[in-house]
Structures are given as structure tokens and as C-alpha cells.
Amino acid sequence: MINVLSTSAMTRTTARRLTQLVSAALLAGACATSASAVTLSEWDIYNYPGQTEAVDDGIKEFSSQNPGITIQRSVHSFDDTRIPLKLALSGGDGPQIAQVNQGGGDMGSLVKDKLLQPLDSYAQQYGWTTRFPDSILKRNRWSDKLDFGSGKLYGVASLGEMVGLYYNKALLDKAGIAVPKTLSELESAMAKLKDQGVAPLMMGLLDGSMGQQVLGSVWQAQIDSGDRKKLDDLIYDIGGSFKDEKLIKAAGMMQAWNKKGYLFPGYQGIGKDDAATLFQNGQAAFLISGTWYLSQFKQNKDIHFAAMPAADGVAHPLGVGGTDLAFSVTSTAKTQEQRDAGAKFINYMVSDSMANRWLQVGFLPATASKNVTIPADNPLLGEAYQVWLALNQYDGLGHYTDWATPTMLAELNQGVQLLMADRLTPQQLATNLDDNYQRYLKTLKH
């Protein structure tokens, strides 16, 4: 005979036990979730409309893939990534993830004060050392003795940039000129264009940087990537001299172009952005400048992008370029969970998924991956990305010459202006640059 009361009591007891077990499991799960939940503050400088949208969308995707990690994004100006960032980190506040400007005054200073976390273990874990060539990663390396370009890795960048040759295909076709692949072919093309009454090369020298980027491009087009150590040593302040025969030759070529009338009339009084607009409007056949004009030039279907023509006999020339500010994990990421989460976020920012977002809004991703989709409505960006892939395949990303010292940018800008006004010889320009460099090297020894 079944005791109904006893069975009912057993049922209630079992139910209570099940409820207790379920509650305990839920509580344990909640505790586990709470223990693994990480909130990170992040600073970046992506304040252009297309950029900030891409990053916001990227953070949404990252958060959905990593529900235990919350990213609190804060957009800053470039200047806010410098002194304010250091002050915040020095005070024990500030973000756990931040974009940091490369160079001794910024990343080097933060490394010196132990305000950044080394990322070498994460570079191995996520394959950054195979995804990026040494020429890119070295820009974010500092040794314990604060040698720039060697030692531990302190950041990885999401966007790339480079200087190359823009050309107006309609003007070249009309003149019967093929896209030049060598400096000799470029000079021949400019001579032919001038004879036909077409301005060969657009230039804007008023505000400096375009002229020195042309100088750097012609100089580095003479250097094979297999023979880049001499230039690397200069830029990373290991030593050397700017009294370099290839630099002197580049300066001489620029002076010759001016004397032959290859440069757009009145270029000395034109700013770089005005020069770009003139080129966009079909006022010259060539422009040597950077990928930061890709978005602007997209509207003119006659404009194309190619690698800077190489010097005769140079198989794999260096191309002037670099990356944007690197993403770093800072000293305020005090726990292992925070550091791991920060590195995971950085890995997303250099992923193929983020690269596709950058391409969709017209920017060049730093990662040299073939697993991306070029927007169908932006063939100019596709051309630039192919150049970027080829350049990084043979470790050919060169340097902005002004990185060599804190005052080299002003020295270069003024020097090129005087060079093109025939007030400096190529040898004198090289000597002035070297004097600037040697003075700076002496300050590093004290």
C-alpha cells in the first residue's frame, strides 16, 4: 500500500533540494561571470566620421564575441594622446588601452617610466610577428636601455600609410605615356609631358612636408630592402650619417626637375592640400604623396596609385611610409585579466574583420592580409592596398626621414625649400641634416 502523504513529503523535499541545487548553480555561474567580467577604458584618435563609425561598429562586434569584456571608448585629439595621457597614467588613472605615438618623445618616454606593458607574449599568441613584417613591428620596439627599434614590443597599429605615385591616366594616355616603373622612366615621361604643354609633377612647398616626402621617396627608391640596415640605423638613432651619396643624388634630381620646368608653376607658394586639389582637378600628370589623399581623389576616376618608381637596378625598393599610432596596453591594466582582455581587443583591431571595416570607409589597414574585400566603388583604394601588400611582402616599408630627431622635420622642410630655391646645394643640404642628427645623438649619450 502506498503512503500518499510520505510520497508527497518526499516530493516536496526533492523539489526543495533541486531548487537549492539550481540556485547554487545559478549563484556559482553568476559569481563566475562576475569574476571574469572586465571593463576597460580605451583612448583612440579616430575622430573622422568614417573612422569613428568603423571603430564603434568594431567594438560592438568585439563585445558580442566577448560578452565578459566591456570597452569604454573615449575619442581624443592627437595632442591628447601625448602629455595628457602621460599625466593620467603617471597618476595611476587613465585608460587600460591607448593609442600611443611612436618615437622617443612619446612611446619611448612612457616605456622609460614603465607606463606601458610589453606585448611580446601576446604577439606570439596571436601571430602578430607573422602577420606584420619586422619593418612595421620595429617602430613599436624599445629595449631596456631605451634603444628605439629593438627589444620588447609595446604596441601594434591598426592603420597603414605610405607615399607613392599618383598619376592621371587620362593625361598619360593622351600623351602616349605608360605608367613609369623606374625613376629613369619617370624623368622621360616628365620631359615628354612638358614638351606637350602639360605640367608633369604637382608640388606644394609652402608648408613644407610634401617637398621633404618627395626627397625621402626619391632617396629610398634607390635602396633595396635587402640593404636597408644603414637607413634603419639612422632612423632608429643607432648611428650613421646623412652625408649619403643616394640622398645627395635625390636632392640633385629634385633641383634638376625644377630647372627643367617639370614642376607645377608657382609651386613654392602653394600649400600641400591646395596642391592636392589642383592635382585632383587635372592640373598635372603626377603627384608624389601619401595615401591620406585616397578619399579625396576617389571622386576623380582618372586618378590612380602606383608604387614609387625604383632606381635602375633596384629590385625591391623601399617606399616611404609607416603606420598610425599604435594600440598599447598601459600600466593601469594591473590584473592579468585586464592585460589579457586588452591584448584580445588589440588583436581584434588588427584583424581581417577590422581591416574590412577600414576599407569600407576608405582607409588603408596596416595588416597585409589577402583575406579582405576591396569596396567595388573604390578601385583607387584597391590599387593602393595592392601596393601595400607587395611592399610588406618584401619588407620594403621605409621611413619618414623626419623621425630621426625631434627637430628633423623643421630642418628638412626648410632645407628642401632652400634647395629648390637654389640657395643650398645637395651636399650642403646633406651636411645640414647630418649636423642636426649628430647633435641629437650626443644628447642621447648623456
Side-chain angles (χ1 to χ4, degrees):
M1 180 177 173
I2 298 175
N3 188 326
V4 176
L5 183 60
S6 298
T7 303
S8 177
M10 276 179 55
T11 302
R12 288 196 300 271
T13 302
T14 302
R16 280 198 303 271
R17 288 176 179 170
L18 285 173
T19 300
Q20 290 168 352
L21 288 172
V22 170
S23 297
L26 288 173
L27 181 61
C31 291
T33 301
S34 176
S36 62
V38 179
T39 298
L40 300 176
S41 172
E42 181 263 5
W43 286 14
D44 66 66
I45 64 163
Y46 294 131
N47 48 23
Y48 292 128
Q51 289 182 329
T52 200
E53 179 185 348
V55 176
D56 282 342
D57 289 345
I59 289 175
K60 288 178 184 176
E61 181 175 85
F62 174 81
S63 298
S64 68
Q65 295 172 353
N66 301 275
I69 303 174
T70 300
I71 303 295
Q72 295 180 339
R73 183 187 181 205
S74 180
V75 184
H76 295 251
S77 69
F78 172 77
D79 289 337
D80 280 348
T81 66
R82 309 188 74 194
I83 295 174
L85 175 63
K86 184 173 183 180
L87 288 173
L89 296 177
S90 298
D93 299 317
Q96 288 75 51
I97 306 165
Q99 278 190 287
V100 179
N101 188 38
Q102 295 91 340
D106 296 301
M107 184 178 283
S109 177
L110 295 179
V111 170
K112 179 181 179 182
D113 292 344
K114 301 187 184 306
L115 297 175
L116 298 182
Q117 304 281 359
L119 301 175
D120 299 87
S121 62
Y122 299 112
Q124 293 294 330
Q125 177 183 345
Y126 292 117
W128 298 340
T129 52
T130 55
R131 195 182 309 171
F132 296 98
D134 287 342
S135 57
I136 285 182
L137 292 181
K138 283 182 72 170
R139 295 156 203 264
N140 307 303
R141 289 192 183 280
W142 290 87
S143 75
D144 293 337
K145 296 180 180 179
L146 293 182
D147 296 320
F148 184 26
S150 63
K152 296 172 184 174
L153 182 71
Y154 287 95
V156 188
S158 187
L159 288 179
E161 59 185 37
M162 61 183 164
V163 176
L165 182 70
Y166 287 101
Y167 62 94
N168 187 309
K169 191 172 186 302
L171 292 179
L172 294 189
D173 288 347
K174 186 176 180 180
I177 295 171
V179 180
K181 298 282 177 48
T182 67
L183 288 176
S184 297
E185 290 176 2
L186 176 62
E187 291 190 304
S188 297
M190 291 195 293
K192 191 171 182 179
L193 287 161
K194 181 180 179 294
D195 289 344
Q196 297 186 25
V198 177
L201 182 64
M202 181 57 66
M203 178 87 82
L205 213 57
L206 182 63
D207 44 8
S209 61
M210 184 174 284
Q212 62 102 344
Q213 286 164 6
V214 173
L215 176 67
S217 295
V218 179
W219 177 24
Q220 294 179 44
Q222 302 172 64
I223 303 172
D224 193 277
S225 66
D227 191 31
R228 63 177 297 153
K229 186 178 186 304
K230 186 177 176 182
L231 178 66
D232 287 343
D233 286 351
L234 268 179
I235 301 302
Y236 292 126
D237 299 324
I238 295 171
S241 174
F242 276 85
K243 296 176 185 178
D244 179 85
E245 62 179 20
K246 293 176 181 176
L247 174 60
I248 293 170
K249 182 177 179 180
M253 290 176 70
M254 287 181 67
Q255 271 192 338
W257 294 352
N258 183 42
K259 292 172 182 175
K260 294 176 181 178
Y262 293 167
L263 305 180
F264 186 82
Y267 71 91
Q268 297 94 336
I270 300 174
K272 60 181 182 295
D273 291 339
D274 289 335
T277 299
L278 287 167
F279 175 74
Q280 182 184 0
N281 293 334
Q283 297 300 302
F286 296 115
L287 172 72
I288 298 171
S289 193
T291 48
W292 45 87
Y293 287 124
L294 288 173
S295 254
Q296 177 178 335
F297 294 163
K298 173 186 173 183
Q299 309 307 320
N300 187 339
K301 302 304 180 185
D302 291 329
I303 294 178
H304 296 263
F305 187 87
M308 183 66 193
D312 291 341
V314 177
H316 298 117
L318 298 182
V320 171
T323 64
D324 69 339
L325 279 63
F327 279 96
S328 298
V329 176
T330 75
S331 56
T332 63
K334 297 187 180 301
T335 68
Q336 189 65 48
E337 288 79 12
Q338 287 178 317
R339 293 190 287 272
D340 290 348
K344 183 174 282 190
F345 176 75
I346 292 174
N347 187 57
Y348 176 84
M349 291 303 296
V350 299
S351 67
D352 288 350
S353 179
M354 194 64 209
N356 277 317
R357 292 186 189 280
W358 288 131
L359 289 166
Q360 288 299 320
V361 294
F363 290 89
L364 194 70
T367 180
S369 172
K370 297 179 181 178
N371 302 318
V372 296
T373 303
I374 304 297
D377 65 341
N378 200 344
L380 180 62
L381 178 62
E383 291 171 352
Y385 191 63
Q386 289 305 312
V387 174
W388 179 259
L389 287 176
L391 199 62
N392 283 287
Q393 188 171 10
Y394 61 76
D395 201 20
L397 190 64
H399 297 284
Y400 294 112
T401 312
D402 61 277
W403 275 25
T405 80
T407 58
M408 185 61 79
L409 177 61
E411 188 79 53
L412 274 164
N413 289 347
Q414 180 184 26
V416 173
Q417 288 170 333
L418 294 173
L419 175 80
M420 301 307 282
D422 289 326
R423 294 172 58 190
L424 277 183
T425 66
Q427 291 81 3
Q428 288 171 329
L429 172 65
T431 296
N432 290 349
L433 297 179
D434 195 56
D435 287 347
N436 179 293
Y437 184 69
Q438 302 304 333
R439 287 195 303 270
Y440 179 64
L441 285 187
K442 288 180 181 178
T443 70
L444 300 179
K445 296 176 182 178
H446 297 288

